[in-house]
Amino acid sequence: MAVERAYYHCSHGHHGCCPWDTDLGLGDDRLSPTTRPLVALAGTLAPFKQSQDVLRRLAGLSISASTCRRVTQAAGDRLCQQYAAGVVVLPGRPAAWDFSVPDRDGQSFPGTVAYLGLDAFAVATRPAARKGVEWRMLYVGLLYDPHKEHTVYVTDFDFEAVAARLRSYAVAFRLSATEVQVAITDGGNGLERVLRQNVSDALQFVLDYWHEAERLHKFAGLLHAGDSGAVASWAERAKSILWEQGGEALLRHLRAIVLPAGADKELSEELRRRVAYYEENGHRADYPAYRARGWDVGSGPTEAGCKVLQGRLKGAGMRWSVAGSEQVGALKALYASGEGLWDAFWAQPQCPAA
């Protein structure tokens, strides 16, 4: 259907305008208010060239890949600016989350708990002043309920910003109403500090058990190099101590190791690091106590969230501008969260283009 409307031109300023376009919500991209979110969604979920084909097949829209990129990144830029101003996207009526601890192995547990996670993955970006590729760490933060039915994701290259947004969403979805909030991490540098400072000093930190098991396997490979049977036996014994008795017991087990004279320098250094690590973090690895309360001890939801988000940003041959990867990452996190956040973002008033 062709629509005619008035066009006004200023001969002195050499500019023209169609006032009705503004009333209809048409911007510089010439897309309608209902088409623009669809184009941005396609660009959020798939590479821009592929999005062009998807839009043509599913919606009959003839939109170039470059237009899809501009529309998607413009929406992401608007979202990032909103976050930078300290305002998060919220649905009109946030869904009520169930924080009760689910039954496990035929056993019921009292109390309520909410979970937080924070991790990062590398994104290939184009350096501004030189050729080549620069890998930058994009942080992923998430909140989720014990039943894994509700999750909110946020992303940023600054983990301080990620933690601040987690706090805002934690307030909105009433995580503070739970008896305890548990942050499950891989023990990366600075993660506990930034979460305590920006979310809550009352957070209970738990080291991801599976990361710890992997580190023990690595150490066993150095301790019994060349003997696969001894490697497997020592690793299983150490993991059993960690699982059944906790980090403090494993620390005592590590301290009891006596290396032979002339031991490999790498082995000696790794043993020193393992002992120092559990001296500092042993109390965050009290797995018998965590399991007795029905808590999770693995960061599976965080790992899965990173894979969901990096699937859009780490395609073969992809090279992003820093701003572009941040914009698309923020949109992908918003859409992956569910909870009505995507629709709430597009329902917000938008300032028309000048």
Side-chain angles (χ1 to χ4, degrees), residues 252-303:
R252 293 192 293 271
H253 183 68
L254 292 172
R255 283 173 171 167
I257 295 176
V258 178
L259 298 179
D264 182 83
K265 183 178 180 180
E266 183 182 3
L267 171 60
S268 301
E269 181 61 20
E270 183 62 21
L271 176 59
R272 184 196 65 78
R273 283 198 296 261
R274 290 296 90 207
V275 170
Y277 179 79
Y278 281 102
E279 285 176 342
E280 182 178 354
N281 296 286
H283 62 289
R284 300 181 184 90
D286 191 1
Y287 299 114
Y290 305 150
R291 291 186 290 113
R293 299 184 66 176
W295 293 358
D296 290 353
V297 295
S299 60
T302 304
E303 300 291 328

Side-chain angles (χ1 to χ4, degrees), residues 42-124:
T44 297
L45 299 180
F48 302 124
K49 185 67 175 179
Q50 182 180 342
S51 299
Q52 175 188 12
D53 183 61
V54 170
L55 289 167
R56 179 183 63 82
R57 293 177 182 276
L58 296 184
L61 294 174
S62 179
I63 293 177
S64 67
S66 59
T67 296
C68 183
R69 176 183 57 79
R70 286 195 299 270
V71 171
T72 304
Q73 292 187 346
D77 182 59
R78 183 161 60 91
L79 177 59
C80 289
Q81 288 187 33
Q82 179 174 335
Y83 282 151
V87 181
V88 296
V89 179
L90 295 175
R93 292 184 178 180
W97 291 19
D98 180 6
F99 295 110
S100 62
V101 181
D103 294 349
R104 182 172 296 167
D105 298 328
Q107 184 178 358
S108 297
F109 304 92
T112 55
V113 62
Y115 294 102
L116 293 82
L118 181 59
D119 205 345
F121 62 87
V123 177

Side-chain angles (χ1 to χ4, degrees), residues 119-125 134-140 155-159 162 186 306 310 313-314 322 325-326:
D119 205 345
F121 62 87
V123 177
T125 60
E134 181 179 47
W135 292 91
R136 299 192 52 166
M137 301 304 294
L138 185 69
Y139 290 90
V140 178
T155 63
D156 202 287
F157 285 112
D158 179 1
F159 66 176
V162 168
D186 62 1
C306 285
Q310 73 182 14
L313 298 174
K314 295 186 68 172
V322 174
S325 59
E326 191 169 35

Side-chain angles (χ1 to χ4, degrees), residues 153-206:
Y153 300 98
V154 293
T155 63
D156 202 287
F157 285 112
D158 179 1
F159 66 176
E160 299 271 359
V162 168
R165 287 171 210 159
L166 285 179
R167 177 180 175 84
S168 296
Y169 279 117
V171 171
F173 291 99
R174 304 190 70 241
L175 268 69
S176 59
T178 61
E179 294 180 2
V180 63
Q181 298 90 48
V182 176
I184 305 177
T185 73
D186 62 1
N189 287 335
L191 297 185
E192 179 171 346
R193 175 193 62 79
V194 75
L195 287 173
R196 285 198 184 280
Q197 290 179 352
N198 290 277
V199 181
S200 172
D201 191 48
L203 286 174
Q204 172 73 53
F205 282 83
V206 172

